[in-house]
Amino acid sequence: MGISFGRNMLILATRGCPYQCAFCSSPSMWTTRYMMRPVSDVVDEIEFLIEKYRANSIDFADLTAILKKEWVLEFCREIKKRDLSFTWQLPSGTRSEALDKEAVEAMYDAGCKFLVYSPESGAQETLGTIRKKLNLENIESSIRDAVRAGHTVKVNFVIGFPNENRRLILKTVWANIRMAFLGVTDSNISIFAPYPGSEIFNELRRD
């Protein structure tokens, strides 16, 4: 899913997503229930994959992998405690709330080398419309810290949400340019497509 660092294998550390983004079908399919596995359980599984299948790179495929900073720090401490040597990454797109300077530095030191952020839009107005509870200043700060720590960083944007005008789309284009100056390695700009089961899909269907 991300960068091939060798023998990559997928893992899930969480189930579900507590957010209700209007473009996503998760709330209607799975509700907003969110469960985090104990750190020791996740590291046990990684250790099993290393020993049995000789995995040396782990891809987290969670919908919302990181919400609590303390979980991240505990996870990094557990890796160091067990003296495990492997690369891990978050290629699905993550949020920035828990990823401050301390967190991204600890992650890099514990083997994380690739982070994908999903701000979706560079216009705060659009984020409000699609109910993406995200502050653009916070995510830029997190990305800056991640790049400085040594992570390879990618961002995901979407343009063409319903009710978006040219001004809002240009804000996303400009945000994408700013990401280059922050040191982001890769940026994906997708054209919005209504996802079946999402709130926006249902609204467009009614219209």
Side-chain angles (χ1 to χ4, degrees), residues 101 104-105 108 115 117 140-153 181-184:
K101 185 175 184 291
V104 294
E105 288 179 351
Y108 187 81
L115 284 173
Y117 290 82
E140 286 193 13
S141 176
S142 179
I143 289 171
R144 187 180 295 109
D145 288 335
V147 171
R148 287 174 178 170
H151 294 277
T152 297
V153 177
F181 287 102
L182 290 177
V184 169

Side-chain angles (χ1 to χ4, degrees), residues 1-3 89-96 99 112-120 139 142-144 146-147 150-157 175-176 179-180 182-190:
M1 291 178 62
I3 299 173
Q89 50 189 323
L90 299 172
S92 299
T94 189
R95 303 183 67 90
S96 61
L99 299 183
C112 183
K113 296 296 183 286
F114 181 53
L115 284 173
V116 179
Y117 290 82
S118 294
E120 315 301 357
I139 202 166
S142 179
I143 289 171
R144 187 180 295 109
V147 171
H151 294 277
T152 297
V153 177
K154 176 183 176 181
V155 293
N156 293 325
F157 286 108
N176 186 60
M179 293 298 161
L182 290 177
V184 169
T185 301
D186 188 15
S187 177
N188 177 52
I189 301 181
S190 301

Side-chain angles (χ1 to χ4, degrees), residues 16-103:
C17 178
Y19 296 98
Q20 299 184 57
C21 299
F23 59 86
C24 182
S25 64
S26 181
S28 62
M29 290 178 66
W30 309 112
T31 74
T32 54
R33 186 180 182 188
Y34 183 70
M35 299 176 64
M36 302 176 69
R37 295 170 59 189
V39 165
S40 59
D41 186 49
V42 176
V43 181
D44 282 346
E45 183 176 346
I46 292 173
E47 199 164 16
F48 167 79
L49 294 174
I50 292 172
E51 292 175 358
K52 186 173 179 63
Y53 299 106
R54 294 179 287 109
N56 61 2
S57 184
I58 302 296
D59 294 359
F60 284 86
D62 305 61
L63 279 175
T64 307
I66 296 177
L67 284 185
K68 294 184 178 180
K69 176 182 174 180
E70 184 50 45
W71 191 98
V72 179
L73 296 179
E74 184 184 348
F75 177 70
C76 294
R77 288 193 294 266
E78 187 67 19
I79 292 173
K80 303 289 283 185
K81 176 183 174 182
R82 301 193 194 191
D83 196 27
L84 297 176
S85 179
F86 66 96
T87 298
W88 54 284
Q89 50 189 323
L90 299 172
S92 299
T94 189
R95 303 183 67 90
S96 61
E97 289 85 345
L99 299 183
D100 60 8
K101 185 175 184 291
E102 181 185 14

